[in-house]
Amino acid sequence: MARPQGESRAPSSSHDVRSIQGCKKTAICSLTDSRRFYNWLVIMLRAALDRSNRTDEIAKWIRSEIESGSLPPGSRLEERELAEKFQVSKTPVREALIQLASRGFIELRQRKGATVSVLSAEQVIAMFEVMTELEGMAVKLCATRMSLELRKSLMDVHSRSEGFLDDPIKYDELNIELHELFYRGACNEYLESNIKDLRARLRIYRRFPFQRAGRIRRSFEDHQAIITAIMRGDGEAAKNAMHDHLTTGGRIFADLVAELRFIAN
């Protein structure tokens, strides 16, 4: 009797049964392979994330050593020693060095390895001029963008700094904290990142910014003028006050050159 058109035929032969079983096995193998691939992918991503974290940790440590003066300009950075110190392979160390080189903290030269960047007096002063303009831009933006919470923090840090006008080290710490509030208040991550990098690279050339007589008092008064302009929303006045704060009378440039000569000797 003929089977009606469109009606499916039940798997009656052994060939059909084997075909169905083969499809099931293929599906199971495919699922297993997918799981294996997923597990492999998770392992690889975790390894990459761990290496990235280690790279950042190494870069942060080297940068802090440069800023503190523990690694002065011209110091060699040995991959093997760094790898042993952090108990890692050379890969995250190399990545950290490349990261720092891209920001100008170190120099990478073929066959000579990595060394802490050495800047000429002209380069330092040129960088300082750029930083002065960027900091002026930051406080100008603060006048219209800084949140109420950050304004309160700004006033708090400035008020606390008044208690350390006779303590150059503590005042310097609060000075850095205050300036970083200016950068955050500008609400521009690119601007903030660039100012911090410039300040960090120049730090070694201005290791004792508040040792000279009267410098702390003048700094405190300059900060007051900048903050007052920000609080009243006068961006242009804040920018001018910051410019005066950093360059008044050319004293800062003279200090930079003096520090360069001291380091060179």
Side-chain angles (χ1 to χ4, degrees):
M1 180 177 177
R3 184 172 65 254
Q5 187 176 5
E7 182 179 335
S8 60
R9 181 171 62 85
S12 56
S13 67
S14 60
H15 173 75
D16 291 334
V17 172
R18 286 196 300 271
S19 178
I20 292 174
Q21 289 175 339
C23 289
K24 288 182 178 179
K25 288 180 180 179
T26 300
I28 292 171
C29 289
S30 178
L31 181 60
T32 302
D33 288 342
S34 295
R35 286 174 177 170
R36 286 175 179 169
F37 174 74
Y38 173 77
N39 291 336
W40 172 83
L41 184 61
V42 169
I43 291 171
M44 294 301 293
L45 287 173
R46 284 176 177 171
L49 180 60
D50 181 63
R51 188 171 71 246
S52 176
N53 290 337
R54 295 295 277 164
T55 295
D56 290 341
E57 179 187 351
I58 295 167
K60 184 177 180 180
W61 180 84
I62 295 173
R63 177 168 169 163
S64 68
E65 291 295 287
I66 293 172
E67 290 178 28
S68 69
S70 297
L71 285 174
S75 300
R76 284 182 59 83
L77 298 166
E78 299 292 345
E79 288 184 8
R80 181 180 57 79
E81 292 178 3
L82 289 169
E84 290 176 356
K85 176 179 177 61
F86 290 94
Q87 298 183 342
V88 296
S89 68
K90 288 185 178 181
T91 299
V93 172
R94 287 181 187 136
E95 291 174 348
L97 294 176
I98 291 171
Q99 183 185 122
L100 290 167
S102 70
R103 294 177 175 268
F105 288 93
I106 67 172
E107 294 179 359
L108 293 175
R109 294 182 179 177
Q110 192 172 12
R111 299 176 182 174
K112 291 187 177 181
T115 58
V116 178
S117 297
V118 178
L119 302 176
S120 67
E122 292 76 13
Q123 286 175 311
V124 170
I125 291 174
M127 289 169 61
F128 190 84
E129 287 175 338
V130 172
M131 190 187 74
T132 299
E133 294 304 314
L134 293 182
E135 292 221 21
M137 183 187 298
V139 294
K140 181 177 181 178
L141 292 174
C142 282
T144 55
R145 296 183 181 180
M146 182 175 261
S147 67
L148 180 60
E149 181 181 357
L150 283 180
R151 287 172 186 248
K152 289 180 179 178
S153 297
L154 192 67
M155 292 299 296
D156 175 63
V157 174
H158 180 57
S159 178
R160 283 191 289 123
S161 71
E162 189 173 13
F164 297 96
L165 298 183
D166 296 320
D167 186 340
I169 294 176
K170 184 61 179 179
Y171 183 85
D172 188 30
E173 293 174 0
L174 290 170
N175 176 67
I176 292 172
E177 186 177 348
L178 187 76
H179 277 260
E180 290 191 348
L181 285 171
F182 291 144
Y183 313 152
R184 287 173 57 196
C187 300
N188 185 315
E189 291 182 0
Y190 183 78
L191 178 63
E192 180 180 359
S193 175
N194 277 274
I195 296 175
K196 285 183 176 180
D197 282 351
L198 281 169
R199 264 197 172 265
R201 292 182 66 189
L202 290 171
R203 182 74 180 171
I204 184 61
Y205 299 99
R206 293 193 66 221
R207 293 176 297 175
F208 313 111
F210 298 111
Q211 294 294 336
R212 290 168 175 76
R215 182 58 58 81
I216 292 181
R217 171 61 65 179
R218 178 57 189 267
S219 171
F220 179 81
E221 293 172 354
D222 288 347
H223 288 162
Q224 183 62 61
I226 295 167
I227 292 171
T228 298
I230 289 174
M231 293 303 177
R232 69 168 184 260
D234 191 339
E236 200 62 37
K239 177 182 176 181
N240 291 336
M242 176 61 82
H243 189 273
D244 291 342
H245 173 54
L246 294 175
T247 63
T248 299
R251 289 196 305 270
I252 300 299
F253 294 125
D255 291 349
L256 285 171
V257 174
E259 290 288 350
L260 282 167
R261 290 173 179 166
F262 176 79
I263 292 171
N265 294 329

